[in-house]
Amino acid sequence: MYIVQRGAWTLGGPPGRGEQTVPAGQFLVRHVGRLTAFETTAHLTAKFLVLPPGELKPLLGNRVITGLADSAEIRLLTALTDMIHATVGDLGPAGVEATHGALIELAKAVAKGRFDDVEPRLAPALTQAAKDLADRRLADPELSPAMLARELNVSVRTLHRAFAAVGEQVATYIRHRRLQEARLALAAPSGRLSISELAAHWQFADSSHFTRTFKKHYGQTPTEYARSAGAASLSPNSHLPGHGPAESA
């Protein structure tokens, strides 16, 4: 993040993209992956912040965010960085963690304020970030479009628009992924959960709802699928423990 109060800061662009100049009174946020060449004018007064990309890159994608340096979020962010610089040596671990979180949340607010009406080219990055988060939280009863939007610091409307731009729906993705995991569990050779336990684990309303949804998606009930998976594992062509492969006559 570049915040320029006086002068101008010209940044080298990635391959295929030209230079970008941040004039006085403006800020610019982008994900570069690595530092690039730059030029500054005389008497430059500016701040240059290197922020952790993990939580911000899904919001930015390959987009460059610019705006006024005197916006409320940028003024608060600047004041916070000054305070951190002055006090970080005296902070304990809890204080460091708290200031890190506050800095990231402010940076997210700056980015979110500039593109809450997500552009089509940002949709794939935001959609993938939501999918990655959903995959890690599939068994969480709180998992929902609202939770994903909150964690990614975008509106629910923005999240739905991002999925729609790539031809998908948030709730459908969550349901299909839970069904996939339940099917894998049904095919497990040992330690298999009951149908009601699977339904509860993967956050279906009850075993009947789970059964109907599973059959609609896979063409078999969970019980039928488990039976067929068990039969397949015991077919004559399967390799059984303690037996070598059959020799041809």
Side-chain angles (χ1 to χ4, degrees), residues 3-74:
I3 307 170
V4 179
Q5 286 89 29
R6 186 174 64 171
W9 200 328
T10 300
L11 311 167
R17 298 172 65 178
E19 295 181 337
Q20 297 166 318
T21 297
V22 190
Q26 296 281 317
F27 75 87
L28 180 147
V29 186
R30 69 177 186 178
H31 178 259
V32 294
R34 58 183 178 81
L35 297 181
T36 56
F38 64 90
E39 294 181 358
T40 62
T41 60
H43 310 298
L44 175 76
T45 302
K47 284 186 177 292
F48 170 45
L49 307 179
V50 180
L51 300 165
E55 297 179 71
L56 296 173
K57 189 175 184 299
L59 293 177
L60 294 173
N62 294 321
R63 192 175 179 203
V64 174
I65 306 299
T66 60
L68 296 175
D70 66 352
S71 68
E73 290 85 358
I74 289 292

Side-chain angles (χ1 to χ4, degrees), residues 34-162:
R34 58 183 178 81
L35 297 181
T36 56
F38 64 90
E39 294 181 358
T40 62
T41 60
H43 310 298
L44 175 76
T45 302
K47 284 186 177 292
F48 170 45
L49 307 179
V50 180
L51 300 165
E55 297 179 71
L56 296 173
K57 189 175 184 299
L59 293 177
L60 294 173
N62 294 321
R63 192 175 179 203
V64 174
I65 306 299
T66 60
L68 296 175
D70 66 352
S71 68
E73 290 85 358
I74 289 292
R75 285 188 284 116
L76 187 55
L77 182 63
T78 301
L80 178 61
T81 58
D82 289 340
M83 181 67 74
I84 292 173
H85 180 73
T87 62
V88 67
D90 299 324
L91 293 174
V96 170
E97 183 177 355
T99 54
H100 173 272
L103 184 62
I104 293 299
E105 290 305 314
L106 270 175
K108 284 182 180 179
V110 170
K112 178 186 174 184
R114 300 299 300 174
F115 61 85
D116 196 50
D117 290 327
V118 62
E119 289 187 0
R121 63 181 176 179
L122 180 64
L126 180 55
T127 300
Q128 189 58 54
K131 288 180 176 180
D132 291 343
L133 180 57
D135 287 346
R136 295 194 298 269
R137 306 281 287 273
L138 280 177
D140 188 340
E142 299 299 319
L143 178 59
S144 66
M147 185 273 272
L148 292 174
R150 184 172 63 252
E151 291 290 324
L152 294 169
N153 204 39
V154 297
S155 68
V156 176
R157 174 175 174 269
T158 293
L159 185 63
H160 282 305
R161 288 184 61 185

Side-chain angles (χ1 to χ4, degrees), residues 194-223:
S194 68
I195 301 303
S196 59
E197 288 171 333
L198 277 175
H201 182 76
W202 295 114
Q203 306 306 317
F204 289 89
D206 51 44
S207 57
S208 297
H209 177 236
F210 171 57
T211 297
R212 289 194 303 271
T213 306
F214 191 96
K215 184 174 183 179
K216 183 178 180 180
H217 192 69
Y218 292 115
Q220 294 178 298
T221 67
T223 301

